[in-house]
Structures are given as structure tokens and as C-alpha cells.
Amino acid sequence: MNIITVKDYDTMSKMAAGIIAAQINTKPDTVLGLATGSSPLGTYRNLIEMNQNGLVDFSKVVTFNLDEYCGLSRENPQSYYYFMMENLFKHVNIPKENIHIPNGLAKDTDEECKNYELQIKKANGVDLQLLGIGFNGHIGFNEPDDVFHNFTRRVKLTQSTIEANKRFFESADDVPRYAISMGIKTIMSARKIILVAGPEKREIIDKLREEVCTPQVPASILHYHPDCTVFWAEKE
Ligand code: F6R
């Protein structure tokens, strides 16, 4: 794992967008794994600008998002589907049928998770996975635990994640308690990974620098990925 300290969030976002655009320009039918949250927002803004200026074409790109809250519909402004539409998809020329986000309203969650894995497999796996990181070291919604969980499944959110994400809801009580998340093995199977983190993530990034791999810090598994770069922005 390569940890690169970047001077600020804008620079980090430009670098991440540049890597994603280069990947798409090299392989137009790239399969992207995508994250929501405040960390990748700047990256998405840059990709939108590049797409609108004709510098990157999303017409053949296929995407799989990391996760979705259980119990929220796609129309719910707090759902990750809504977030992705507002902050990336509706501004670029990606065909709607190429977008994959777990269905938080699926009647049979296990079936939905199995199906999601199958769809990723059918797409021949993820070429480039973009990640954020939780204060507790989660990636996707793979929370600290005694073991690493391999595949896409329903997860119970930790109190720390509920607290961190309540800023998007009216209160902590409104934050869903469960989500569907890609597993650690799903994430690790991506051929290339980039993780973006703002200055507020200093403590957890320092933890990653210790190079200890433990399921109590799920992102620490990335030390074993052959092509993973972490961008940490020192300032806003
Ligand atoms: C979101 C996701 C999460 C976030 C993490 C950081 O799809 O998978 O792991 O990346 O919670 O969130 P922000 O970027 O909002 O600090």
C-alpha cells in the first residue's frame, strides 16, 4: 500500500479523478467500483467537469457501488442511489443500465447480495475501486470485527458509523441500522484500488501507517493488495 500525503482536498480530488479518467481512456469499458460520502465528492466534481469538456467518456463504463442502506428507496435523498445520481451519474454520459447499486428495499436481502456478487463476476470483476474510509477504519460498510467478512451481505452499522453519518439525517435515530455492503474479498478482488481521505481522517491514516493487518481496522487488509494507493489530504 502506497500512502501519499497531498497538500489539500482539491489536489487530492484532481489526482484521483485523473487516475480514474486515465483508466477509462485506456479501457473505455472499465468496470468502476464507487463509494459515496464526502471524501469522493471532489473526485466526482472533477470527473463531471472532464466529461463535460470531452476529456473522458462514460458511455461504456460500468459501475458497482460499494453499499446501500437497508430500508431506503432510491427516491429517498439519504439513499446512496440518490447520492450517486445527484453527485455523478446524472451529469455524465453513463447509460443507466450500466449502473449497479444494491437495492436497499430488496425483499430477500440474501438473494440480492448473492445476485450482486454474480453481476460483478459477470462483468469480469472491478478494474478500479474508489474507496473512502470510516473513522473506525471501515471500508464500504465492513465494520471492525473479529474476522474479515468476504462477500456482499447485510451488515449492522456500528454506533460510531451511525454517529458519523447522522449529519445527513434529521437525527441519529433516523440513520438506518443495517446496510448492504460489498465484502472485503469483493473489494480486494478489484485490480486497482484508490482510497481518498480528508484531513479529518489523520488518526486512522496514521493507524494504517503502522502496517498491522487486523479485522479491527478493516482497511488494514489493503496492505495485502498489489496495487493500492491511499491519498490523504493534509488540509481542507
Ligand atoms: C460509502 C462508504 C463508506 C465511506 C466512509 C467515509 O459508500 O463505503 O465506507 O467511504 O464512511 O465516509 P466520508 O467520506 O463521508 O467520510
Side-chain angles (χ1 to χ4, degrees):
M1 179 200 288
N2 204 357
I3 303 181
I4 298 179
T5 300
V6 184
K7 73 171 171 145
D8 57 31
Y9 180 85
D10 272 355
T11 310
M12 175 184 80
S13 303
K14 281 200 182 89
M15 288 171 89
I19 292 172
I20 296 171
Q23 165 69 37
I24 298 172
N25 287 333
T26 310
K27 182 175 182 278
D29 59 348
T30 283
V31 179
L32 287 179
L34 296 176
T36 57
S38 36
S39 311
L41 265 182
T43 305
Y44 295 154
R45 274 197 293 271
N46 278 281
L47 284 172
I48 292 169
E49 203 181 305
M50 290 167 111
N51 180 246
Q52 291 177 353
N53 290 331
L55 298 174
V56 63
D57 173 18
F58 279 80
S59 64
K60 294 196 177 73
V61 170
V62 173
T63 63
F64 286 91
N65 262 76
L66 283 166
D67 40 21
E68 178 60 284
Y69 287 118
C70 287
L72 300 190
S73 72
R74 291 175 158 193
E75 293 75 35
N76 188 314
Q78 268 76 41
S79 75
Y80 284 172
Y81 184 92
Y82 193 96
F83 175 98
M84 288 307 299
M85 281 297 160
E86 288 302 304
N87 294 298
L88 180 64
F89 296 144
K90 81 175 190 194
H91 307 286
V92 297
N93 67 329
I94 186 166
K96 237 180 166 178
E97 61 275 17
N98 290 9
I99 296 168
H100 303 85
I101 301 181
N103 177 5
L105 287 185
K107 284 214 178 74
D108 186 338
T109 315
D110 289 347
E111 196 54 38
E112 172 68 15
C113 296
K114 253 193 249 158
N115 222 339
Y116 204 63
E117 286 287 337
L118 208 69
Q119 283 178 296
I120 296 175
K121 221 181 200 163
K122 273 194 191 151
N124 199 24
V126 171
D127 291 305
L128 172 54
Q129 175 69 55
L130 176 65
L131 295 174
I133 184 170
F135 290 105
N136 61 5
H138 73 212
I139 46 176
F141 274 131
N142 295 285
E143 301 282 19
D145 204 343
D146 294 336
V147 290
F148 288 111
H149 295 275
N150 285 341
F151 298 110
T152 303
R153 71 210 181 285
R154 189 176 84 129
V155 294
K156 190 169 177 16
L157 304 190
T158 60
Q159 201 51 40
S160 125
T161 298
I162 292 169
E163 283 301 313
N165 289 6
K166 72 177 183 198
R167 65 191 197 277
F168 300 112
F169 293 81
E170 272 190 20
S171 75
D173 287 346
D174 296 315
V175 184
R177 270 30 189 179
Y178 291 91
I180 292 176
S181 175
M182 274 189 198
I184 290 291
K185 200 163 182 172
T186 329
I187 294 172
M188 287 293 280
S189 302
R191 288 179 270 281
K192 184 181 183 68
I193 297 181
I194 54 180
L195 186 153
V196 285
E200 73 286 359
K201 302 284 167 54
R202 176 189 285 272
E203 215 172 293
I204 191 68
I205 296 295
D206 281 347
K207 190 106 205 136
L208 287 185
R209 293 185 207 275
E210 291 170 12
E211 295 192 9
V212 175
C213 180
T214 161
Q216 295 300 339
V217 181
S220 64
I221 190 80
L222 298 171
H223 283 297
Y224 287 103
H225 193 279
D227 186 358
C228 173
T229 307
V230 173
F231 292 100
W232 175 64
E234 230 171 350
K235 284 197 226 100
E236 260 320 314

